[in-house]
Amino acid sequence: EDLKKQEDAKSLDPYSSDPERHPVLRVKCKKPFNAEPPPEILGDSYITPHVLFFKRNHLSVPQVDPASYRLNVEGFPGGALSLSLEDLKTRFPKHTIIATMQCAGNRRSEMNKVKRVNGLNWGITAIGNAKWSGVRLRDVLLAAGFGPEVAKWARHVHFEGLDKDVTGTAYGTSIPINKAISEEGDVLLAYEMNGEDIPSDHGFPVRVVVPGVVGARSVKWLGRIVISAEESSSHWQQHDYKGFSPGTDWKKVDPKSAPAIQELPVQSAITVPADGAVIDRSNETLTVKGYAWSGGGREVVRVDVSLDGGKTWQVAQLRSGDEGQPTEPSPPPGRAWAWKLWELTAPLPPEAEELEIICKAVDNSYNVQPDTIPPIWNLRGLLSNAWHRVKVKVTED
Amino acid sequence: EDLKKQEDAKSLDPYSSDPERHPVLRVKCKKPFNAEPPPEILGDSYITPHVLFFKRNHLSVPQVDPASYRLNVEGFPGGALSLSLEDLKTRFPKHTIIATMQCAGNRRSEMNKVKRVNGLNWGITAIGNAKWSGVRLRDVLLAAGFGPEVAKWARHVHFEGLDKDVTGTAYGTSIPINKAISEEGDVLLAYEMNGEDIPSDHGFPVRVVVPGVVGARSVKWLGRIVISAEESSSHWQQHDYKGFSPGTDWKKVDPKSAPAIQELPVQSAITVPADGAVIDRSNETLTVKGYAWSGGGREVVRVDVSLDGGKTWQVAQLRSGDEGQPTEPSPPPGRAWAWKLWELTAPLPPEAEELEIICKAVDNSYNVQPDTIPPIWNLRGLLSNAWHRVKVKVTED
Ligand SMILES: [Mo]
Ligand SMILES: [Mo]
């Protein structure tokens, strides 16, 4: 009887079987569920607990039975490979990486303030860092028949989720073959997040993790992998998740003129203090905290912080681990998938009644963040990585 | 007798046997010779002729006899390998790439205007694009004994030039092993530039070409290669060619706090019109030209041009070849070593008496150039890649 009721509800509302979520999350959209954590909590842990990790769902969360789950690997001359969850766990070596995942729309709200853009109004926390375990995509592609003959024509690997819209279209996307097949690319088919089964909001039982690349390519509830000579023809590959010039509007946008976003540019943000915070002048010092990350496995090598709106800069301390805990070992070159947390404690500037605090990061290709948002503004509000600025008031008490 | 005179002169002045140079070059320093071409000439050719290619010599040009030339490859358990020029040309496959080389100090003069920096006052043309042919460094390392055992400890490949200072110290530097050994890294030991023997100013008879990486690692007049667990201990690896925060001065600089520059950030500049040019209002349109490039094999995907100081932006046309000539084929992903030339023809804005023209490039990791110079200022004037700005006057005639 209960089951019957549930099924009725589901046929009316595909979101009725979505999981419970942590009440501290800031909800951007309920159906599909999209939410991000408060900045000061995100910045507190080097590894983001899954309940606090931003949720970015394009559709309702599919209910997948792990016993009957099958991953289909297609497009190979020898035919398709069908793998159960058990196959994935027992037939391939387990591989673990720490990797930051960032939504293409992280920090969109700042772009929205410049001029209206299209998309969920994300703050600065559509980003998180987790420990992902699973099998290497490379190993599965080799098992499916990847070799010198296939390498001659294969250029892309497509991923399709088990999340489907009312017309039956699954969320789908693709990545270039060199990222997919390279040992150093570290692309995972992950079945664990932070040492536990992947939670349903994050892709149970199996999701893709493409480290160094925009979150949109890390397909959750993975159902199908296809090797191909072409990019995915999906909406999300061909029309969405591309960057355009600030002068491009919806009338003149030509999606073919821009490449699909893969590697993301260098990014950082201030998680503490919050914008609008009030600081007592009796504090002799001010502590500023945040995160910094760059795409493509490029390591963040420096974060500069200004307390005077960009006139002078101080260098923050970087951390690859929690305070007082042992730090994660340095990654091999080109494989810095994880963010760094940073912190600066500096004398509170005397006399100032308001401070404009700014951070900007530098990666090991010495790429930097742009100063301002308007020149990188784009109609979808993607790739918002200008300097992050917060204003705080200093009061006598 | 003549030989005697020459030798006497040389002992007095090590630069007396330096080659002739093209008179159009703008000389930054005579001894050692450092010079760059006029912007409008550089921007005219997709492939930079060697006479116009910027010269960046740290010392005098060594006179190398190709018949007795030996390249020593050291550090391997099986002992050193000594290769003649003939060996290089006959024992290894010939490989050709088109790659842009950029000095770390390109555009330093703009940084100098903000606040005095230390180094040659380069304009915007300490950059060039050439066709380089030679052998892959990878092939030579394999011939010298690189294999799984060596891979366990080898982390860097050192290069030493045959150019030596008065104390006998050769110019030297190193690159990470993964760049050196990877097939996709395309690191060459080049003996040809634009289809001819490498000219003496560019490293005759053999130079390194590390595409996507700062020019300082592409050692000329290559004499010695050493595989090592450590980075080069040379001045140029450990103390020079590093980036620091704008707040870092000579008193507090700690060279160990920053990584050696390898991959360079995204870059672009305007080669036409020149700063200060005067344009007749009877012209209905204005044509702006320039170059754009990014390090690490990242392809430039867009150049935005503003005629109004950054308020509005138009998208330029990109070219991978000379005007009216067939374009070079697209590079494989991650191996876009060559620059793009770009051009925008737009209506001359009515009424404006002065235009501030700006360009900024975007690469396929969607990294962008920063808006302004002061926040990336550094005491050595390196990595100067803010938006390039030129001002022109519009006059009635
Ligand atoms: Mo996203
Ligand atoms: Mo340089």
Side-chain angles (χ1 to χ4, degrees):
Chain A
E1 177 113 8
D2 269 8
L3 194 68
K4 175 88 170 59
K5 261 191 207 152
Q6 267 186 27
E7 271 169 16
D8 282 357
K10 189 160 182 193
S11 68
L12 291 171
D13 178 4
Y15 296 95
S16 60
S17 49
D18 265 22
E20 293 282 310
R21 278 92 181 204
H22 198 287
V24 81
L25 292 175
R26 294 172 182 179
V27 179
K28 302 291 154 177
C29 178
K30 277 193 167 160
K31 300 175 179 184
F33 192 75
N34 285 278
E36 64 183 330
E40 66 279 14
I41 298 181
L42 181 75
D44 231 32
S45 312
Y46 179 69
I47 297 290
T48 314
H50 76 84
V51 293
L52 297 172
F53 205 98
F54 77 99
K55 325 284 177 209
R56 198 283 176 250
N57 296 344
H58 290 87
L59 297 157
S60 64
V61 173
Q63 306 299 303
V64 184
D65 171 15
S68 59
Y69 171 80
R70 289 293 178 282
L71 171 63
N72 296 303
V73 189
E74 304 173 17
F76 289 89
L81 185 66
S82 174
L83 297 165
S84 69
L85 185 57
E86 187 68 11
D87 290 336
L88 286 170
K89 291 186 177 177
T90 57
R91 287 179 46 192
F92 301 91
K94 185 174 178 179
H95 187 65
T96 297
I97 59 171
I98 299 179
T100 294
M101 188 94 63
Q102 181 181 212
C103 179
N106 189 32
R107 300 184 59 199
R108 178 179 285 130
S109 57
E110 294 160 73
M111 247 177 214
N112 246 330
K113 281 179 201 156
V114 169
K115 197 170 108 188
R116 187 66 198 265
V117 297
N118 207 352
L120 296 162
N121 201 34
W122 295 111
I124 64 165
T125 57
I127 187 170
N129 188 50
K131 188 176 279 199
W132 310 95
S133 301
V135 307
R136 284 181 189 272
L137 172 60
R138 169 189 165 81
D139 292 341
V140 170
L141 294 177
L142 289 171
F146 188 90
E149 281 306 306
V150 175
K152 283 181 191 158
W153 55 264
R155 292 292 172 272
H156 301 272
V157 176
H158 301 207
F159 306 121
E160 256 184 47
L162 295 167
D163 46 339
K164 293 191 169 70
D165 69 14
V166 288
T167 72
T169 305
Y171 181 77
T173 187
S174 66
I175 62 170
I177 186 71
N178 60 330
K179 174 71 177 172
I181 204 69
S182 143
E183 225 166 317
E184 292 77 32
D186 279 329
V187 181
L188 291 193
L189 309 180
Y191 48 74
E192 286 178 13
M193 179 182 188
N194 297 340
E196 296 172 26
D197 288 350
I198 297 240
S200 58
D201 256 338
H202 295 285
F204 181 83
V206 175
R207 76 169 299 170
V208 187
V209 175
V210 189
V213 158
V214 64
R217 311 299 167 213
S218 287
V219 172
K220 302 195 278 192
W221 315 291
L222 181 67
R224 197 162 163 245
I225 296 175
V226 184
I227 192 158
S228 171
E230 309 294 335
E231 253 194 330
S232 165
S233 61
S234 86
H235 169 79
W236 297 276
Q237 191 80 15
Q238 297 298 331
H239 293 273
D240 203 346
Y241 296 123
K242 295 187 166 199
F244 296 97
S245 175
T248 300
D249 61 24
W250 289 106
K251 271 173 228 153
K252 62 180 173 197
V253 64
D254 171 15
K256 290 204 196 326
S257 70
I261 300 170
Q262 298 282 349
E263 293 182 1
L264 285 174
V266 59
Q267 176 70 289
S268 70
I270 298 162
T271 54
V272 170
D275 193 40
V278 177
I279 291 161
D280 194 303
R281 192 180 304 285
S282 65
N283 292 300
E284 280 168 24
T285 61
L286 175 67
T287 294
V288 185
K289 294 185 188 191
Y291 64 76
W293 180 76
S294 187
R298 291 178 284 280
E299 187 171 5
V300 166
V301 297
R302 201 181 77 232
V303 171
D304 295 328
V305 177
S306 175
L307 304 181
D308 55 10
K311 284 198 271 296
T312 64
W313 299 90
Q314 300 176 63
V315 177
Q317 288 286 338
L318 305 179
R319 269 200 286 127
S320 293
D322 283 315
E323 256 173 303
Q325 295 297 109
T327 197
E328 292 294 329
S330 273
R335 292 161 83 179
W337 312 125
W339 68 10
K340 298 202 181 177
L341 298 182
W342 56 263
E343 187 167 328
L344 175 81
T345 297
L348 193 61
E351 286 166 35
E353 290 177 4
E354 191 182 59
L355 304 179
E356 186 183 9
I357 309 176
I358 305 182
C359 73
K360 63 180 175 81
V362 183
D363 72 20
N364 63 357
S365 295
Y366 283 98
N367 272 302
V368 298
Q369 299 177 244
D371 311 19
T372 63
I373 297 170
I376 59 164
W377 184 96
N378 60 87
L379 71 190
R380 274 286 278 118
L382 304 174
L383 303 157
S384 186
N385 76 328
W387 301 352
H388 185 227
R389 298 160 193 259
V390 303
K391 283 187 177 160
V392 300
K393 286 207 159 50
V394 186
T395 57
E396 322 287 335
D397 88 318
Chain B
E1 178 110 10
D2 270 9
L3 194 69
K4 176 87 170 57
K5 261 191 207 151
Q6 268 186 27
E7 272 170 13
D8 282 359
K10 188 155 182 198
S11 68
L12 291 170
D13 178 4
Y15 295 95
S16 60
S17 50
D18 265 23
E20 293 281 310
R21 277 92 181 204
H22 198 287
V24 81
L25 292 176
R26 295 173 180 179
V27 178
K28 302 291 153 177
C29 178
K30 277 191 169 162
K31 299 176 180 183
F33 191 75
N34 285 278
E36 63 182 330
E40 65 278 14
I41 298 181
L42 182 75
D44 230 33
S45 313
Y46 179 70
I47 298 289
T48 313
H50 77 84
V51 293
L52 298 172
F53 205 98
F54 77 99
K55 325 284 178 211
R56 200 284 176 250
N57 296 343
H58 291 86
L59 297 157
S60 64
V61 174
Q63 307 298 302
V64 184
D65 171 15
S68 60
Y69 171 80
R70 289 294 179 282
L71 172 62
N72 297 304
V73 188
E74 304 172 15
F76 290 90
L81 185 66
S82 174
L83 297 166
S84 69
L85 186 56
E86 187 67 11
D87 290 336
L88 286 170
K89 290 186 178 180
T90 57
R91 287 179 45 191
F92 301 92
K94 184 175 178 178
H95 187 64
T96 298
I97 59 170
I98 298 179
T100 295
M101 188 93 65
Q102 183 181 212
C103 178
N106 190 32
R107 300 184 58 199
R108 178 180 285 132
S109 57
E110 294 159 73
M111 246 176 215
N112 246 328
K113 281 179 201 156
V114 169
K115 197 170 107 189
R116 187 65 199 266
V117 297
N118 207 351
L120 296 162
N121 201 34
W122 294 111
I124 64 166
T125 57
I127 186 170
N129 189 50
K131 187 176 280 196
W132 310 96
S133 302
V135 307
R136 284 180 190 273
L137 172 60
R138 168 188 166 82
D139 293 340
V140 170
L141 293 177
L142 289 171
F146 188 90
E149 280 308 305
V150 175
K152 281 182 192 157
W153 55 264
R155 293 292 172 273
H156 301 270
V157 176
H158 301 208
F159 305 122
E160 255 185 48
L162 296 167
D163 46 338
K164 293 191 168 71
D165 69 14
V166 288
T167 71
T169 305
Y171 182 77
T173 187
S174 65
I175 62 170
I177 187 71
N178 60 332
K179 175 71 177 172
I181 204 69
S182 143
E183 226 167 317
E184 292 76 32
D186 279 329
V187 181
L188 291 193
L189 309 180
Y191 47 75
E192 287 178 14
M193 178 182 189
N194 298 339
E196 295 171 28
D197 288 351
I198 298 241
S200 59
D201 255 337
H202 295 285
F204 182 84
V206 175
R207 75 170 299 169
V208 187
V209 174
V210 189
V213 159
V214 64
R217 311 300 166 212
S218 288
V219 171
K220 303 195 277 191
W221 316 290
L222 181 68
R224 196 162 163 245
I225 296 175
V226 184
I227 192 157
S228 171
E230 308 294 334
E231 254 195 329
S232 166
S233 61
S234 85
H235 170 78
W236 298 276
Q237 192 79 16
Q238 298 297 333
H239 293 273
D240 202 346
Y241 296 123
K242 296 187 166 200
F244 296 97
S245 176
T248 301
D249 61 24
W250 289 106
K251 271 173 230 154
K252 62 181 172 195
V253 64
D254 172 15
K256 290 205 196 326
S257 70
I261 301 171
Q262 297 283 350
E263 294 183 359
L264 286 173
V266 58
Q267 176 69 291
S268 70
I270 298 162
T271 54
V272 169
D275 193 41
V278 177
I279 289 161
D280 193 303
R281 192 181 302 286
S282 65
N283 292 300
E284 281 169 21
T285 61
L286 175 67
T287 295
V288 185
K289 295 185 189 190
Y291 65 75
W293 179 76
S294 187
R298 290 179 284 281
E299 188 172 4
V300 166
V301 298
R302 201 179 78 232
V303 172
D304 296 328
V305 177
S306 176
L307 305 181
D308 56 10
K311 284 198 270 297
T312 65
W313 299 91
Q314 301 176 62
V315 177
Q317 288 285 337
L318 305 179
R319 273 199 284 127
S320 293
D322 283 315
E323 258 174 301
Q325 294 298 109
T327 195
E328 292 294 328
S330 273
R335 293 161 82 180
W337 311 124
W339 69 11
K340 299 203 181 178
L341 298 182
W342 56 264
E343 187 169 330
L344 175 81
T345 297
L348 192 61
E351 286 165 37
E353 290 177 4
E354 192 182 59
L355 304 178
E356 186 184 5
I357 309 176
I358 305 181
C359 73
K360 63 181 175 80
V362 183
D363 71 20
N364 63 357
S365 293
Y366 284 97
N367 272 301
V368 299
Q369 299 175 244
D371 311 20
T372 62
I373 297 169
I376 59 165
W377 184 95
N378 60 85
L379 71 188
R380 273 286 278 119
L382 304 175
L383 304 157
S384 185
N385 76 327
W387 301 351
H388 185 226
R389 300 161 192 256
V390 304
K391 283 188 175 158
V392 300
K393 284 205 158 53
V394 185
T395 57
E396 323 286 336
D397 90 318

